[in-house]
Amino acid sequence: MKQLAVLPVLLLAFSIALHAQDKKKLDQNAIKNMCGCYEVTFNFTETFNYSQDSLYKPSETKVDKGLEWAQLVEDSDDKIVIQHLLQVGTPESPYIVKHWRQDWLFENTDFYMFNGDNQWTYVSKSKDDVKNQWTQKVYQVDDSPRYEGSATWVHVDGKSFWENATTAPLPRREYTKRSDYNITLRGNRHQTMDYGWVHDQDNEKIIREAGKEDVVLAKEKGYNTYVKVDDSKCQAAQDWWKEGQEKWAKVRTKWASVFARHQDLALEAKVDNKVLFKYLFDDENYSTSEQIDPIIERFIKKQI
């Protein structure tokens, strides 16, 4: 009789395990649906400002378009890596720009949270905190950290989406023009659509000072659409990646060793008056681990 009583419990446990596996597969497919060739439209506009300065000028509305190749770099059960490449210029004479990278990790517990002034604070979360969640880690063009956050992929009513709010550095369109705030609180929503996917953002421009409460300077709306087109349109980007992927694997390996230290991280803006990506984009002098590792290390501020 005891064996008969245990049977429903085992069946329930088995059913839950199967459901979890099916759910994870849906998550993985949604993430990998962001790969391929896309016509991208980047839309950003400042919506509200809370400045007490009567001379305050909001950021100009920004609308840009481009062709982007999202390359699947790594695909394992608990980790998916996607490298984005911009393809600009004419089809006859394309030029490739290494763009952002996004890593997706299942039930990740190690985080580097941006804290302003080129500093990231290491945070370790419990397994319960991230159960069934995926962390999206976003990296700069030189594969240094940018921002990251954890949340659950949701699949409902034929839609798949993931959303999270996290601190981040100023975007390129801002930090070359603005110095009146030092953190972007990014509200990110990634949603797959019939035509591709959407990166929907509700951002806050934050002033953070030590020992004070954060101040919201302004709010911003971002709406970036990725419309799928035939992969052949991004052939130049695919070829560029095939030629350079071994080098960038070495760069990722070096950064992985830095993150594995599980320490707060502060980076120099420049070394010898030169930013990191300028060094790493030099294929002639920075193509081996012996060349790459020391220059990345020089940008890491030593712990006191």
Side-chain angles (χ1 to χ4, degrees):
M1 293 295 291
K2 287 184 178 180
Q3 290 180 337
L4 290 176
V6 169
L7 185 58
V9 176
L10 293 176
L11 289 174
L12 178 60
F14 182 68
S15 176
I16 292 172
L18 283 179
H19 175 74
Q21 290 176 1
D22 291 343
K23 167 64 169 58
K24 189 176 181 182
K25 189 66 176 178
L26 288 173
D27 296 347
Q28 293 166 331
N29 288 340
I31 294 168
K32 287 186 284 188
N33 279 343
M34 289 188 277
C35 296
C37 186
Y38 296 93
E39 290 180 349
V40 187
T41 302
F42 303 99
N43 305 274
F44 291 94
T45 190
E46 194 167 297
T47 53
F48 303 98
N49 80 74
Y50 307 97
S51 175
Q52 302 301 311
D53 184 353
S54 61
L55 299 178
Y56 176 84
K57 291 185 178 180
S59 300
E60 294 182 3
T61 294
K62 183 86 170 178
V63 178
D64 276 334
K65 294 186 176 182
L67 193 65
E68 185 153 299
W69 173 251
Q71 171 71 46
L72 182 62
V73 175
E74 185 176 337
D75 181 13
S76 61
D77 194 45
D78 291 336
K79 184 177 182 181
I80 299 170
V81 177
I82 303 172
Q83 174 65 58
H84 291 252
L85 304 169
L86 280 173
Q87 183 173 307
V88 298
T90 64
E92 298 76 25
S93 183
Y95 180 75
I96 309 305
V97 179
K98 184 175 180 290
H99 206 192
W100 61 297
R101 183 180 112 232
Q102 52 175 329
D103 290 8
W104 292 85
L105 294 96
F106 187 65
E107 296 185 343
N108 164 68
T109 58
D110 298 313
F111 294 83
Y112 280 86
M113 308 306 293
F114 184 68
N115 195 34
D117 304 319
N118 235 18
Q119 300 177 60
W120 288 259
T121 301
Y122 172 72
V123 176
S124 178
K125 294 189 177 183
S126 71
K127 291 184 178 180
D128 287 341
D129 286 340
V130 297
K131 186 173 178 58
N132 295 325
Q133 292 186 353
W134 287 84
T135 297
Q136 184 203 40
K137 292 177 176 272
V138 172
Y139 299 90
Q140 314 263 23
V141 297
D142 52 23
D143 288 324
S144 61
R146 188 160 178 76
Y147 63 86
E148 50 196 73
S150 185
T152 304
W153 273 92
V154 178
H155 312 282
V156 63
D157 296 336
K159 296 183 295 186
S160 294
F161 64 90
W162 177 97
E163 55 188 359
N164 171 265
T166 191
T167 52
L170 275 62
R172 182 175 297 275
R173 67 180 182 280
E174 289 279 271
Y175 78 72
T176 56
K177 300 177 180 179
R178 301 283 294 268
S179 59
D180 53 350
Y181 73 102
N182 58 349
I183 285 178
T184 302
L185 181 62
R186 299 183 65 117
N188 294 306
R189 179 185 173 104
H190 290 259
Q191 181 172 331
T192 59
M193 314 289 281
D194 291 341
Y195 58 78
W197 60 284
V198 167
H199 185 190
D200 192 359
Q201 301 173 51
D202 289 291
N203 303 327
E204 294 183 354
K205 300 179 180 183
I206 302 290
I207 302 169
R208 178 171 292 179
E209 297 182 61
K212 298 182 180 180
E213 289 188 9
D214 287 354
V215 175
V216 180
L217 177 67
K219 293 187 178 183
E220 174 190 69
K221 182 66 181 178
Y223 196 77
N224 302 336
T225 59
Y226 290 73
V227 178
K228 190 77 170 67
V229 295
D230 194 274
D231 285 355
S232 62
K233 286 192 173 185
C234 293
Q235 189 59 54
Q238 297 173 60
D239 294 341
W240 185 94
W241 183 251
K242 287 178 182 177
E243 292 179 9
Q245 60 183 332
E246 291 186 8
K247 167 185 174 171
W248 290 104
K250 294 168 187 170
V251 174
R252 293 195 304 276
T253 296
K254 173 56 182 175
W255 277 117
S257 72
V258 173
F259 302 142
R261 296 169 189 172
H262 294 170
Q263 298 175 343
D264 294 349
L265 178 65
L267 300 178
E268 302 283 359
K270 293 182 178 180
V271 167
D272 295 334
N273 204 35
K274 195 173 179 180
V275 295
L276 179 56
F277 77 83
K278 290 284 188 181
Y279 287 101
L280 294 181
F281 282 15
D282 179 351
D283 290 330
E284 184 176 340
N285 295 310
Y286 294 91
S287 59
T288 68
S289 296
E290 289 74 21
Q291 296 165 324
I292 291 166
D293 292 4
I295 191 59
I296 290 177
E297 203 64 48
R298 288 184 66 191
F299 275 83
I300 300 170
K301 293 183 180 180
K302 303 306 176 187
Q303 300 288 333
I304 299 176

